[in-house]
Amino acid sequence: MLLLSGPHQVNSKPHILPDPQQQQAIEHVHGPMLVVAGAGTGKTTVLIRRIASLIRDGHARPDEIIALTYTDNAAAQMRDRLGAELGKREVQGLQVCTFHAYCNELLIAADRKFGVLDDKQLWIFLRKNLRELKLNHFVRAANVSKFLDDLLDFIRRCHDELVTPEAYRNYVCRLEKGELPIPRVTKSKDIDEISDEEALGRCREIAFVFETVERMLRERNLGTFSHMILGANDLLANNPEVLAKARGRAKFILVDEFQDANFAQIEVLGKIAGGNSETQNIFAVGDPDQGIYRFRGASSEAFDLFLQRFPDAKLVSLTRNRRSTTPILKSAYAVIDKNPEISSQSGAPYRREPLLSARDEQERELASKRALVEAVLVTSAFMEATDLVTTLLDRRKRSRCQWKDIAILYRIHTHRDEVANELARNNVPFSIEAMDVLDTPEVRDLLACLSAVFMPGDSASLLRVVALRQFTVDPNALRSALKSLPRDSNAGVLGVLPIIPGGPEVLGSIDKARASTSGLKANSALMSLARQFQVPRNSAVNAFLEFAQKWQEFPLTESGSPTEFLEYLEYFREARGTVPLAMTEEENSVKLMTVHGAKGLEYEHVFVLRATKPSFPAAYRESLIDFPRELRNSTSFSDFDDKTLCEHEERRLFYVAMTRARDTLTIYAPFGRGEKDKTPPGYLRELLKARELKPVLRERNCREFQTAIFAEEEVLTPASRLSEWVGMPPASDLASTLSASAIDNYKLCPLRFKLDRDWRIPGDVSAALQYGASMHRVLRTYYDSIKLGRAKTEPELLQLFRDDLRSEAIADPYQHDLYEQQGIAQLKEFLAANESHTEVLHTEEYFNIKIGATTLVGRIDRMDRAGDGRVVIVDYKTGKPKSQEDADESLQLSLYALAASEKWGYIPERLEFHNLDGNTLISTVRSAIQLEEARIEVEKIAVKIAEGKFDPKIGYHCNSCAYRGICPKTEKRVPEIAIAVEQVN
DNA sequence: ACAATGAGGGTTTTT
DNA sequence: CCCTCATTGT
C-alpha cells in the first residue's frame, strides 16, 4: 500500500509554506484585491487559506463570507478543502457556490423562480415554435433551422453584455436614422451582396426575434442560465432591500477563476461589493493567460474590467510554479508570451512574468536532468497513435508511474479516435472524458428497440433490432424480401418480417415489449426494453438512461412518454446535442480529454495531439452576426477584432495544455506540407524556430511502424452481427444498372449506395427531394399542355403545384409552407420569363444506354429543338443554384449528352442547368473527349462496385444519412475498463 | 503582394 | 456541403 503514495503526495498542498506573494494575498483583509495567479502557482490554496485566516483572526464570521466558483465541481472541492482546513463546524454558514447558484438563490428568495432551459432545450423549444419568430431573412426552406444557432449566439452575447431587447431595438432605431454604421449581419465574404436596406431588415428581424424569444420564455416562466445572472442583476439594481440583505451576507467576497467572468457577472459583483473601497472586500483570483471560455461569454478583459470597477484594487501576482519542470515552463512561456498583455487602461500595474519552477529551485541536483519537451513529427494520424502508445509505454516503464499519471490532451473529441483504438489494441487501460454515448453500439441498440416498439415504421431501427444476437432471422431472406417489394411500397422491414423465417418471433418480442411498456415513461420503458432485448447495462447505457430520466423532468417535457422522447431526440440530434459520459475519477487509467476538460488538472506525463493549424489551433470561424461595438456596455477598448481574439484564445488553450504537465510533455503534429519548411504550421513551428528553446526542446520524427498491426484490428473489435450483415457482399451485380445519381451516391459513401440498392431499406425522403419532385411534375405538365395546344394558365399551374406538394406530405408543416411559398415565387418567375419558348421535343424522357457492361439509366427533364437539327438538353435544379463550374464538370450532363446521341441520335448543341432559384440558365457544352471521360468514369465506378468495394466514407454527410444508426464505421466503443468497472459496481 | 488550388475539418462546455 | 488556411506560383 505504501507504493500508492506516489509523487502526488509530495505536492499535497497544506504542508507547503507560502511564498511571500502568496502570504501577502492570504493576509489581505479589507478592500479589493486582484490576484494574478499563473498556472500551478497555488491560487486555490491562497483562496482557501485567506478564508481560514479571515475567520481565525476574527475579521468575519463564516456567514459573512461568500466564495464563488464557476463549476459545481470546483465549489464542492473548495468546500471539502475548507472543511479539512478549518473543521466542519467552523465552516457552518460559509457560502461556497457557483455564480449561477448564487444568483438563482437570490431570485428564488425573491419569489422569482423560473424553469431552466439549457442551450439545447431552448434551441428545440424555438425549433418547434419557429413560426412564431416570423423569420424572413433568417430562414431557408431547405434547412429551416439553419440560422437558429446564429440567432441564439447573438442573443446569448447580448445577455452576457447586459443588452436588453429594448436596448437592441433602440440601437436599430438609431441605425435607421443613420446615426450609427450598419453592422455586419452576414458572413464577410457576402457583405457586398446585401444592400443596406437588406441589412437593416435583418437587424429588425433580429430585434423581433430577441423580443419574441424573451416574451415566449417570460409567458411560460422559463429562462436560461444567463437569465439567472440577468435576473439577479436586475433585482439588486431595483430592490434596495434585497441589495442591503445581499451586502450584509457578503462582507467578504472571493471569486475563483476570475478570468472566466463576463460583463454581466462583474456587474453583479460590483453591486454586492458596494460602492466605497473601504467596504469593497472583494478578492478575485485567476490567470488571464488561462481564459479559455470566451465562447461562453467570458470577457477576455475580465481583469481589466475588474480594475475599472475597483480602481483601488491591490494587485498581487504569483509566479512560483510548483508543478512543472523548467523545460516545460520555458516552452509554455514562449507560446503565451506572443499574446499581448492585458491592456488595462487603469495604469497597467500588471506585467506578464515567466513562471519559475519551484521544484527545480528546490531540487537543484535534479534540475539538470529534467526531460526535455519533445516535439514528434508524424506522417499521419495513425502514426501519431502508434508512436504515442509506444512512447507512453516507455515513459511509464522509466518513471515507474501509474496509468493515472498520464494524460492525452486534444483540441476536439474526434482527434482522439485513433489513439483510443491504439490504446485498446495494446490493452492499455484508459478512460475518455465526456464521450458521447449516442454513438455507442449499446445505446444505438437500445434506441433501436425503443423505435421498433413505438415507431415501428422506422426500418433502419427495426433492422438493428432484427440483427440482435438472440434473434434468428436469415439476413439473405430478409434482404431478398426487401428487394422484392414493389418500388412504391412503403412496407419496409416491418412489412416483410411476417413472411420470413424468424421474423414473426421478432415481431412477437416487439409486441410483447409494447404491451409490457405501455403507459410507462421513457426511462422506465428503456430499462424494461434493455432487459427484454438483452442490451447490456454498461456505463454508456446507464448514462443514457440517466439522460432520459433528466429529460422527463425538463420544464417543457409533457407526458414523458417514449414517443415524446423519440421526437425530442430527433430534434436533439438536429441541435447536435450529445449525452456525455462522465469519466470515473479514481480509476487507475490513462486519461483522454479535451484541453478544456483538463483545465485545473495536472499529470506527470502529458501528450498533446495534432498540434497543427487548423486542428490546434483551430481554424477561425466567423459568426454570422457581428456584435457591434456600439452595443457594448463593457468599455474595455482592446482594439482587436474577433478573429484576433480567437487566435489569442487558441494560444491560451495551448498554453493551458502545456502547463498541465509535471515531468514530461510530448507534443505531436503532422509534418507541414511545404517543400521548404517541413515543420507543422502553428505553435510547434514557432517553438522549433525559437533559438532560446534549443536547450529545452527536442525534435524527432516518428518511429517506423510494423505493418502487422493493421491485421489485428478486426480481431480486437468483436463485430456486431449487424456489421456482419452490412458487410455482406451484395446479392446481385449492383454495377449492371447505374444512374447519374447512383454514381453520385457511390462517390459520397459506397456503403450508403450498397444499403440503398442492395437492401432497399426505406429511409426518410428529404423535404428538398419532395419539393424537387413536385416542381418537376408541374413543369412537365406545363410543357405537355403546351404541346397539346392547351397551355395551362398561371393560376392553374399554381393550384396544381399546391395540390401536388400537399400530396408529397412534407413532414414538417412549417417547412411545407415555406416550400409552398418558394415554389409559387419560382413558378411565377419561371412563367414570366418564359413567354416565347422554342419547340419542346421531350419532357421527362427515360433512357438507357450501354457503357461497358453497365446499363446506364436516367431521365432527361427536357429537350428542346435548336438550329441545324440539334437539341438543347435542360435539367431543372430546385436546390441551391448551380454555378458555371458545376455545369462544366457535371457527370450528369455528360451522361445526358451521351444518351441523347445514342438513344435518339441527337447532337446536343448545348446542355443547360435551369436554376429555378433565381431563374437562371447555366449553359455548357461537351467535347467528344469529355464524353469519353464520362464513360471512363462510369466504368471506373462500375469496376469498384463489381470488386465489392463498399467501405463507408465518413464525413459531414453522415449527419443527414438515413443509415446513421446502423453504420458500423461511426460506432464508438466505451473503453473496456469502463465497462469492467461498471460490472463490479 | 495576391490568386489559385487543394486539403482538412466541421469546436470547445458550465450553469 | 461550406469554410479556412497553407502553399506555391504569378
Side-chain angles (χ1 to χ4, degrees):
Chain A
M1 286 312 280
L2 274 176
L3 283 174
L4 285 177
S5 57
H8 277 302
Q9 296 299 317
V10 179
N11 191 41
S12 93
K13 282 131 190 177
H15 307 293
I16 292 183
L17 281 181
D19 58 47
Q21 286 76 29
Q22 288 181 317
Q23 198 63 38
Q24 192 191 345
I26 292 166
E27 286 168 4
H28 171 76
V29 180
H30 293 289
M33 176 179 265
L34 183 58
V35 180
V36 179
T41 55
K43 65 184 161 58
T44 309
T45 306
V46 164
L47 212 135
I48 283 163
R49 297 236 191 134
R50 176 167 182 261
I51 295 176
S53 58
L54 284 175
I55 295 173
R56 281 205 198 101
D57 300 346
H59 294 296
R61 297 192 313 266
D63 64 2
E64 293 170 329
I65 301 175
I66 285 179
L68 297 172
T69 64
Y70 283 88
T71 69
D72 282 326
N73 270 343
Q77 203 190 339
M78 195 180 292
R79 236 172 275 135
D80 287 349
R81 284 177 68 178
L82 276 165
E85 179 92 15
L86 278 162
K88 285 259 162 8
R89 255 183 325 127
E90 276 66 24
V91 292
Q92 284 281 317
L94 180 72
Q95 201 173 0
V96 183
C97 62
T98 66
F99 223 103
H100 287 89
Y102 174 75
C103 289
N104 204 27
E105 272 171 40
L106 286 181
L107 290 169
I108 292 170
D111 206 23
R112 292 203 197 170
K113 188 179 167 155
F114 56 78
V116 183
L117 303 184
D118 65 23
D119 287 353
K120 297 297 173 213
Q121 291 174 52
L122 177 63
W123 194 98
I124 292 167
F125 170 57
L126 295 173
R127 171 69 184 82
K128 286 183 174 175
N129 296 283
L130 256 190
R131 228 184 258 274
E132 278 192 60
L133 300 185
K134 297 198 169 54
L135 298 174
N136 179 29
H137 297 95
F138 293 113
V139 71
R140 292 284 171 274
N143 184 356
V144 171
S145 60
K146 185 164 183 219
F147 300 105
L148 197 46
D149 284 314
D150 301 298
L151 290 165
L152 287 178
D153 274 351
F154 185 78
I155 293 178
R156 211 170 300 130
R157 186 78 209 279
C158 287
H159 286 158
D160 293 335
E161 290 275 343
L162 288 179
V163 172
T164 59
E166 296 74 40
Y168 186 76
R169 176 64 76 184
N170 190 30
Y171 166 78
V172 176
C173 287
R174 295 188 61 197
L175 287 178
E176 281 166 338
K177 287 188 216 144
E179 293 174 17
L180 297 172
I182 305 280
R184 180 175 64 76
V185 283
T186 185
K187 295 285 167 108
S188 303
K189 80 171 172 64
D190 308 325
I191 199 103
D192 297 328
E193 281 167 37
I194 68 166
S195 61
D196 282 2
E197 199 33 59
E198 162 86 9
L200 270 177
R202 289 182 177 213
C203 290
R204 278 184 220 110
E205 189 157 310
I206 294 166
F208 181 79
V209 169
F210 193 5
E211 286 160 354
T212 307
V213 170
E214 297 291 333
R215 178 179 53 76
M216 288 164 77
L217 292 175
R218 210 177 323 114
E219 285 170 357
R220 293 165 178 82
N221 194 34
L222 297 169
T224 63
F225 291 106
S226 338
H227 286 101
M228 294 179 183
I229 313 287
L230 295 178
N233 184 56
D234 213 45
L235 192 61
L236 294 166
N238 300 316
N239 195 325
E241 274 171 48
V242 172
L243 181 64
K245 200 172 156 208
R247 282 188 182 165
R249 183 69 188 73
K251 294 250 168 69
F252 289 87
I253 306 164
L254 298 95
V255 191
D256 199 6
E257 305 281 11
F258 187 72
Q259 73 282 348
D260 292 340
N262 64 34
F263 176 77
Q265 291 161 340
I266 295 170
E267 278 300 299
V268 170
L269 279 181
K271 292 195 170 72
I272 56 175
N276 76 63
S277 64
E278 286 306 297
T279 54
Q280 285 175 340
N281 296 320
I282 180 160
F283 182 88
V285 185
D287 181 358
D289 288 333
Q290 290 187 72
I292 54 175
Y293 285 108
R294 209 179 77 91
F295 68 89
R296 227 159 68 186
S299 161
S300 56
E301 299 105 12
F303 281 68
D304 202 12
L305 291 174
F306 186 93
L307 294 173
Q308 279 177 40
R309 188 88 216 194
F310 308 106
D312 299 321
K314 288 210 182 92
L315 220 115
V316 174
S317 52
L318 310 181
T319 54
R320 273 172 52 92
N321 174 293
R322 291 149 191 277
R323 178 183 297 151
S324 314
T325 65
T326 302
I328 293 166
L329 292 178
K330 281 204 167 145
S331 305
Y333 184 77
V335 168
I336 199 62
D337 200 41
K338 290 220 163 57
N339 262 1
E341 308 205 349
I342 54 173
S343 57
S344 189
Q345 307 149 299
S346 32
Y350 164 73
R351 311 230 69 200
R352 179 186 293 123
E353 285 174 62
L355 296 177
L356 300 173
S357 169
R359 284 172 59 200
D360 283 356
E361 249 169 47
Q362 280 155 10
E363 311 164 312
R364 285 286 154 101
E365 69 289 356
L366 289 177
S368 55
K369 290 187 237 153
R370 299 297 192 197
L372 305 189
V373 172
E374 195 167 47
V376 187
L377 306 194
V378 298
T379 47
S380 67
F382 177 75
M383 287 307 300
E384 176 178 69
T386 49
D387 186 289
L388 185 144
V389 173
T390 313
T391 309
L392 180 150
L393 291 170
D394 181 60
R395 293 253 195 287
R396 182 173 110 97
K397 205 190 279 171
R398 279 167 193 264
S399 71
R400 275 176 261 150
C401 69
Q402 301 188 56
W403 296 119
K404 67 177 163 72
D405 298 321
I406 304 174
I408 300 169
L409 310 182
Y410 35 84
R411 175 68 242 258
I412 55 170
H413 292 291
T414 48
H415 289 165
R416 69 164 181 249
D417 291 348
E418 280 87 355
V419 173
N421 290 340
E422 189 62 20
L423 287 168
R425 210 173 291 150
N426 286 274
N427 297 312
V428 176
F430 67 101
S431 39
I432 299 173
E433 169 66 31
M435 178 177 168
D436 182 12
V437 301
L438 291 177
D439 287 329
T440 61
E442 297 81 8
V443 170
R444 281 185 177 181
D445 282 344
L446 185 54
L447 259 174
C449 294
L450 194 69
S451 287
V453 171
F454 293 95
M455 271 184 14
D458 177 358
S459 281
S461 290
L462 198 48
L463 179 69
R464 208 179 162 102
V465 174
V466 174
L468 289 172
R469 294 267 171 206
Q470 63 268 33
F471 297 121
T472 56
V473 171
D474 171 26
N476 286 306
L478 176 59
R479 182 166 62 174
S480 54
L482 281 170
K483 283 182 83 169
S484 57
L485 284 173
R487 277 220 165 263
D488 56 350
S489 157
N490 49 13
V493 176
L494 183 67
V496 301
L497 277 181
I499 54 161
I500 56 170
E505 284 75 15
V506 181
L507 291 172
S509 297
I510 290 172
D511 287 341
K512 205 174 118 218
R514 188 177 300 118
S516 70
T517 52
S518 115
L520 293 185
K521 289 194 176 191
N523 173 279
S524 319
L526 284 166
M527 286 206 280
S528 166
L529 293 177
R531 224 176 307 115
Q532 297 188 55
F533 289 92
Q534 300 165 41
V535 178
R537 279 282 287 270
N538 68 3
S539 52
V541 168
N542 284 336
F544 185 68
L545 289 169
E546 212 173 287
F547 172 74
Q549 179 65 45
K550 273 192 276 170
W551 167 81
Q552 286 172 199
E553 313 298 326
F554 284 174
L556 289 168
T557 300
E558 287 167 13
S559 67
S561 71
T563 323
E564 190 189 354
F565 187 56
L566 283 169
E567 188 205 25
Y568 183 85
L569 281 177
E570 231 161 84
Y571 286 118
F572 192 67
R573 173 155 276 136
E574 196 185 340
R576 295 189 310 275
T578 60
V579 179
L581 173 63
M583 180 158 69
T584 15
E585 286 294 332
E586 293 311 316
E587 218 169 78
N588 186 15
S589 60
V590 174
K591 301 295 186 295
L592 275 64
M593 64 186 109
T594 63
V595 180
H596 284 90
K599 196 176 101 167
L601 305 177
E602 61 177 38
Y603 297 90
E604 272 171 45
H605 305 289
V606 167
F607 296 85
V608 180
L609 305 182
R610 302 256 187 124
T612 183
K613 224 172 178 178
S615 292
F616 192 3
Y620 170 64
R621 313 186 62 169
E622 187 179 59
S623 67
L624 183 72
I625 304 164
D626 186 43
F627 191 84
R629 172 156 291 175
E630 294 81 13
L631 216 48
R632 280 178 71 166
N633 276 314
S634 57
T635 50
S636 165
F637 269 77
S638 65
D639 262 339
F640 300 113
D641 58 18
D642 207 52
K643 187 177 173 192
T644 312
L645 290 172
C646 280
E647 281 164 7
H648 293 166
E649 178 141 315
E650 290 296 314
R651 195 174 280 283
R652 289 194 293 268
L653 194 60
F654 199 72
Y655 175 71
V656 168
M658 294 175 86
T659 52
R660 298 310 94 200
R662 290 173 50 79
D663 295 348
T664 76
L665 171 62
T666 316
I667 303 169
Y668 281 84
F671 286 102
R673 279 174 283 127
E675 279 296 298
K676 286 160 260 173
D677 190 350
K678 293 259 190 257
T679 62
Y683 307 126
L684 266 191
R685 180 172 294 173
E686 288 173 10
L687 289 175
L688 293 170
K689 277 198 185 121
R691 300 215 124 222
E692 77 275 15
L693 294 180
K694 285 267 143 51
V696 297
L697 178 68
R698 183 169 96 91
E699 175 188 353
R700 72 171 171 84
N701 295 348
C702 58
R703 302 167 223 273
E704 295 303 315
F705 67 96
Q706 312 78 11
T707 6
I709 290 167
F710 279 115
E712 287 174 47
E713 181 157 17
E714 301 313 313
V715 186
L716 278 151
T717 340
S720 69
R721 198 157 63 173
L722 182 67
S723 50
E724 287 166 25
W725 289 14
V726 159
M728 296 189 322
S732 59
D733 177 15
L734 297 179
S736 64
T737 307
L738 290 173
S739 65
S741 66
I743 289 170
D744 281 344
N745 209 10
Y746 182 86
K747 284 198 278 192
L748 188 68
C749 174
L751 182 63
R752 181 148 145 183
F753 167 86
K754 187 174 81 172
L755 291 173
D756 269 342
R757 293 280 303 265
D758 191 42
W759 283 83
R760 284 229 210 104
I761 307 161
D764 286 337
V765 185
S766 79
L769 281 180
Q770 294 178 290
Y771 169 72
S774 202
M775 286 293 271
H776 276 79
R777 280 190 294 268
V778 172
L779 290 175
R780 179 191 187 169
T781 309
Y782 171 63
Y783 283 109
D784 286 352
S785 73
I786 292 176
K787 221 193 257 174
L788 293 170
R790 295 190 38 180
K792 297 253 186 217
T793 62
E794 182 181 290
E796 282 173 327
L797 284 172
L798 295 185
Q799 194 50 47
L800 180 70
F801 167 68
R802 284 193 200 94
D803 295 340
D804 190 289
L805 189 69
R806 196 164 309 120
S807 72
E808 276 286 340
I810 291 175
D812 179 349
Y814 180 54
Q815 191 168 29
H816 168 270
D817 294 357
L818 289 172
Y819 265 129
E820 190 180 79
Q821 278 174 30
Q822 179 180 312
I824 288 170
Q826 289 182 356
L827 283 172
K828 281 185 178 166
E829 207 178 342
F830 182 91
L831 294 171
N834 205 50
E835 293 294 352
S836 62
H837 205 284
T838 48
E839 186 190 346
V840 173
L841 294 169
H842 304 273
T843 52
E844 309 260 323
E845 197 75 56
Y846 287 87
F847 66 81
N848 58 72
I849 56 173
K850 271 288 188 202
I851 293 185
T854 298
T855 305
L856 192 97
V857 300
R859 194 187 59 198
I860 297 175
D861 286 345
R862 207 178 82 209
M863 276 189 278
D864 300 346
R865 190 186 299 285
D868 302 340
R870 301 198 288 182
V871 297
V872 180
I873 296 174
V874 182
D875 189 67
Y876 305 127
K877 289 294 170 199
T878 52
K880 189 179 163 280
K882 296 288 174 193
S883 67
Q884 186 64 53
E885 207 189 355
D886 295 329
D888 293 344
E889 285 165 12
S890 164
L891 178 67
Q892 184 195 12
L893 289 183
S894 300
L895 297 178
Y896 285 7
L898 275 174
S901 58
E902 286 200 17
K903 180 172 175 189
W904 291 282
Y906 292 142
I907 303 163
E909 182 189 272
R910 60 180 195 275
L911 308 154
E912 287 182 350
F913 275 148
H914 191 145
N915 289 317
L916 294 174
D917 178 355
N919 201 46
T920 53
L921 288 177
I922 311 293
S923 273
T924 186
V925 290
R926 289 292 184 273
S927 66
I929 296 169
Q930 286 172 309
L931 294 181
E932 200 43 43
E933 282 169 356
R935 269 181 201 283
I936 291 167
E937 163 116 49
V938 172
E939 284 175 22
K940 245 166 58 188
I941 304 266
V943 166
K944 283 191 187 169
I945 294 171
E947 285 172 347
K949 288 185 179 154
F950 297 109
D951 273 345
K953 194 154 123 194
I954 51 174
Y956 193 67
H957 54 270
C958 297
N959 292 328
S960 55
C961 177
Y963 311 124
R964 116 176 61 71
I966 55 181
C967 174
K969 189 99 174 219
T970 53
E971 224 157 61
K972 306 236 164 91
R973 292 177 170 275
V974 177
E976 297 295 334
I977 183 153
I979 296 172
V981 162
E982 213 47 56
Q983 283 165 352
V984 170
N985 286 348

